[in-house]
Amino acid sequence: MRIVVIGGSGHIGTFLIPRLTRAGHEVVNISRGSRTAYSESPEWQHVQQVVADREREDAEGVFGDTVARLRPDVVIDLVCFTLKSAEALVARLRGEVGHLLHCGSLWRYGPSQKLPIAEEAGTEPFGEYGIQKDRIARMLKHETASGGLLTTSLHPGHIVGPGWYPIGPLGNFDPAVWAVLSAGRPLQIPGSGAELMHHVHADDVAQAFERAIEHRDAAAGEDFNVVAPTALNVRGYAQIAAGWFGQTASLEPVTWEEFRKTTTPEHAEKSWDHLYRSHCLTIEKAKTLLGYSPSYEPEAAVLESVRWLIDHDQLKADRPLVV
């Protein structure tokens, strides 16, 4: 099949495009610049590259034409963030493309009340990003149910992999957390320490997209959670991570007010966004309908990220990894 991937040079595309190429598909990558994927792979030599500024072309009403002119059988949209943009693409591709797959987010769900969270069973999202992702997923579901374009939406957790910082034990990207844990120094944690984060390796997300293409009939009109088999809470995550450096985590619970005094507003906001939601999702639907079988537990996925960052001098640790 001829598959067009929109935004394929990022986290997911780094693994997805080589997978699709190895499977024998003809792949076209649309990106807004010349940035290369996070990991080199010989399969990229066989990928057609198309440069397009989606934001500008959406404003001009021509982005759908850019995609349609490539005559795809399947379109995978990894970088759609507004309902308006999604609706425009659907309207243009309706009747011309066999399958549209959209990358959503676990932030389509609000703060957890009952765990694990099944598709569409979570609380109402908050924040513009999560609200838009939920609206897009619902629109796509209705589109297919009403006899229009065949669509599928997949909703990853906190994506990790080699080449970028993972969401850390405090629910943010603060690199200082790793220095503290590797040194065995006390780490202040806001809240109870039982708040959850649900990571997923980028290659497992890529696997889910590939499975959805292979099982198109089962994926038609459906939405799927795509996360690791288990989730980490703050306490457990910190203890596991400290152990990678031969340390035991020393955790000091503090109030959110106290925590905000010890970090930057940006890190504090990220921590609140992740820990207040406290997400843990079920993947039973994806396993049953798509055969999704994640290869990474969350701690293994994060460790791969941390190891890459240390090896490439992008993360400073007080002690070397012992795993």
Side-chain angles (χ1 to χ4, degrees):
M1 286 188 292
R2 183 170 170 84
I3 302 178
V4 169
V5 181
I6 305 170
S9 299
H11 298 164
I12 300 169
T14 290
F15 295 91
L16 175 59
I17 286 182
R19 273 179 171 268
L20 297 174
T21 302
R22 288 193 297 270
H25 299 294
E26 181 183 359
V27 182
V28 181
N29 176 39
I30 299 178
S31 62
R32 63 182 178 183
S34 57
R35 190 187 78 180
T36 58
Y38 287 91
S39 298
E40 293 184 5
S41 174
E43 287 83 5
W44 284 93
Q45 300 173 15
H46 307 288
V47 176
Q48 179 184 348
Q49 301 289 345
V50 174
V51 176
D53 184 333
R54 181 179 192 157
E55 186 175 356
R56 178 180 60 79
E57 292 194 9
D58 263 344
E60 296 171 357
V62 298
F63 182 70
D65 294 331
T66 296
V67 178
R69 277 197 299 268
L70 296 169
R71 302 184 65 82
D73 301 302
V74 175
V75 174
I76 300 175
D77 193 351
L78 300 178
V79 289
C80 181
F81 305 109
T82 68
L83 178 61
K84 181 179 180 181
S85 180
E87 288 177 332
L89 185 62
V90 166
R92 181 61 182 84
L93 299 183
R94 189 182 295 127
E96 293 196 30
V97 171
H99 193 186
L100 171 66
L101 298 95
H102 168 81
C103 184
S105 169
L106 84 169
W107 278 19
R108 69 175 300 196
Y109 308 118
S112 62
Q113 290 184 348
K114 183 178 180 180
L115 300 173
I117 302 169
E119 287 79 359
E120 298 185 78
T123 61
E124 289 294 316
F126 68 92
E128 192 61 17
Y129 177 77
I131 290 171
Q132 289 293 323
K133 285 297 188 182
D134 185 55
R135 288 176 177 171
I136 293 169
R138 294 179 184 278
M139 178 275 292
L140 293 174
K141 202 174 187 71
H142 180 265
E143 168 71 18
T144 303
S146 61
L149 182 64
L150 192 152
T151 70
T152 304
S153 64
L154 296 96
H155 299 271
H158 311 310
I159 301 173
V160 290
W164 62 93
Y165 277 89
I167 290 293
L170 296 183
N172 61 31
F173 294 106
D174 187 358
V177 171
W178 302 103
V180 171
L181 290 172
S182 66
R185 299 197 303 270
L187 179 69
Q188 292 188 336
I189 60 171
S192 67
E195 294 86 358
L196 292 157
M197 291 163 276
H198 213 152
H199 295 77
V200 62
H201 194 286
D203 188 49
D204 281 332
V205 181
Q207 177 206 147
F209 274 95
E210 187 176 20
R211 299 269 196 238
I213 293 169
E214 293 170 350
H215 301 281
R216 189 182 78 162
D217 290 346
E222 299 291 350
D223 49 357
F224 298 95
N225 296 333
V226 181
V227 288
T230 58
L232 295 168
N233 66 26
V234 172
R235 289 193 305 266
Y237 190 175
Q239 290 291 357
I240 290 169
W244 297 338
F245 302 95
Q247 301 282 15
T248 299
S250 175
L251 306 179
E252 294 183 355
V254 296
T255 66
W256 276 99
E257 182 179 358
E258 292 170 325
F259 178 70
R260 289 188 175 94
K261 294 177 181 178
T262 64
T263 188
T264 66
E266 179 185 3
H267 290 325
E269 182 180 1
K270 284 290 184 185
S271 293
W272 174 260
D273 281 343
H274 287 88
L275 303 187
Y276 177 63
R277 287 175 171 86
S278 192
H279 284 151
C280 175
L281 278 55
T282 175
I283 55 174
E284 286 306 308
K285 182 178 178 181
K287 289 169 64 177
T288 301
L289 295 184
L290 304 182
Y292 173 58
S293 180
S295 299
Y296 288 82
E297 286 287 340
E299 63 269 29
V302 175
L303 175 57
E304 188 174 291
S305 295
V306 170
R307 190 188 304 279
W308 189 97
L309 291 168
I310 292 174
D311 289 345
H312 290 77
D313 296 320
Q314 295 187 30
L315 183 66
K316 301 298 181 184
D318 188 77
R319 292 189 177 187
L321 292 165
V322 298
V323 292

